Amino acid sequence: MTSRALRRRTVTPPAFPYDDRDLDRFRELQQLAYRCAQRVGAWLGPGVTERQAAARLRHELAAEGVRDYFHIPFAWFGDRTAFRDFRTPLQFFAGNRRLAEGMPYILDCAPVVDGYTADIGYAGRIGENEVWDRIAADLREYRELILAEVRARRPLADIYASVDALTARHGYDNRHKVYPGRVIGHQVTRTTARGPAGVTLFGFGVRTLQTLGRELVGERLRGRSPLWADGRASRHAPTPGLWAVEPHIGLGDVGLKFEELLVVTEDDAYWLDDDLPHVRRWRPEPE
């Protein structure tokens, strides 16, 4: 056996870096982010623009004490929920698209409080939309599939391929491939950088960019990546820690996703919180 092969065999995953108190703080912040997104969703109506929705979401987060962000709030309406004709990163920023009856919407925010980060996606519709209802119901399978395959310690790139296969079986198309880096998820850590809070660059917090840069370099040196995509860098088992996971599915001009934190330990995995809007939607109505 070569020394290279021996090194490959003896590599062990890093220890899970958080205690119960840390997980509580991440969970509380994720709940806060979803509360703010739900309040904005209840406020939305025909005629509201994406920019107005993103600004309202930022206002709601600030009212809850948020002063820093992993990334600034985003809002996408109509066919922009499916990222149709997106060619440059600038198209992800909220624009002047106005809501109309029957339109889907997605609100995405990533607040940071005391270094703890949440990154959530909240989807809804104005009025009736049968395509939206169908995808919303089917998303449950993606959540279950991702958890099962992470628990089986399958390589991240292989799990990505399994999500693609399920998307094809449903007759949908993968829209997370349009995100920068084609990511379906990314690691979330407790930010320790000492930059100016609330200052953003290209939509990302300066502290986030400092932390993410260190993680990219450190993880790559260990043969891993903090970004979960379908390429060579993701051909490794899930790294212990927290992952923000966002399968984004589209059909025609309707796009839908959830985004929430997945806990990966050395030998198990579980969603950080099952009391979230999309999970409650899947529960049977009480008789």
Side-chain angles (χ1 to χ4, degrees), residues 158-175:
D158 290 356
I159 303 173
Y160 193 111
S162 295
V163 171
D164 273 356
L166 179 58
T167 303
R169 288 198 297 275
H170 280 151
Y172 304 143
D173 59 310
N174 163 351
R175 304 316 299 157

Side-chain angles (χ1 to χ4, degrees), residues 112-131:
V112 177
V113 175
D114 295 334
Y116 295 96
T117 302
D119 197 349
I120 68 104
Y122 177 71
R125 52 174 166 63
I126 299 298
E128 299 300 318
N129 188 310
E130 292 183 359
V131 173

Side-chain angles (χ1 to χ4, degrees), residues 96-281:
N96 291 320
R97 176 64 58 84
R98 291 186 182 274
L99 267 179
E101 192 70 21
M103 266 192 184
Y105 65 82
I106 296 175
L107 304 173
D108 188 311
C109 66
V112 177
V113 175
D114 295 334
Y116 295 96
T117 302
D119 197 349
I120 68 104
Y122 177 71
R125 52 174 166 63
I126 299 298
E128 299 300 318
N129 188 310
E130 292 183 359
V131 173
W132 190 96
D133 292 344
R134 174 184 159 193
I135 301 175
D138 286 340
L139 272 176
R140 178 176 187 171
E141 291 186 51
Y142 296 84
R143 191 175 190 263
E144 293 170 347
L145 171 69
I146 290 167
L147 179 59
E149 299 217 341
V150 170
R151 281 177 166 169
R153 305 291 297 168
R154 297 196 66 209
L156 293 174
D158 290 356
I159 303 173
Y160 193 111
S162 295
V163 171
D164 273 356
L166 179 58
T167 303
R169 288 198 297 275
H170 280 151
Y172 304 143
D173 59 310
N174 163 351
R175 304 316 299 157
H176 42 266
K177 69 182 180 183
V178 184
Y179 287 109
R182 298 175 58 90
V183 298
I184 194 174
H186 57 86
Q187 270 192 289
V188 167
T189 61
R190 188 176 182 193
T191 304
T192 57
R194 290 292 182 265
V199 177
T200 60
L201 183 65
F202 305 117
F204 288 87
V206 168
R207 292 180 176 183
T208 291
L209 292 173
Q210 292 173 335
T211 302
L212 187 58
R214 288 200 305 270
E215 290 170 358
L216 278 168
V217 172
E219 289 293 273
R220 288 296 174 86
L221 289 174
R222 297 174 179 85
R224 302 187 298 262
S225 173
L227 305 178
W228 180 350
D230 56 346
R232 181 177 301 174
S234 294
R235 293 175 188 167
H236 60 82
T239 306
L242 290 179
W243 291 80
V245 185
E246 51 184 328
H248 195 144
I249 311 303
L251 180 62
D253 288 342
V254 177
L256 207 69
K257 74 166 183 174
F258 63 80
E259 184 174 12
E260 58 175 303
L261 295 179
L262 178 69
V263 181
V264 180
T265 68
E266 295 90 340
D267 55 8
D268 197 10
Y270 56 91
W271 295 105
L272 180 63
D273 193 349
D274 284 325
D275 187 23
L276 300 177
H278 50 282
V279 180
R280 293 193 293 267
R281 187 170 61 232

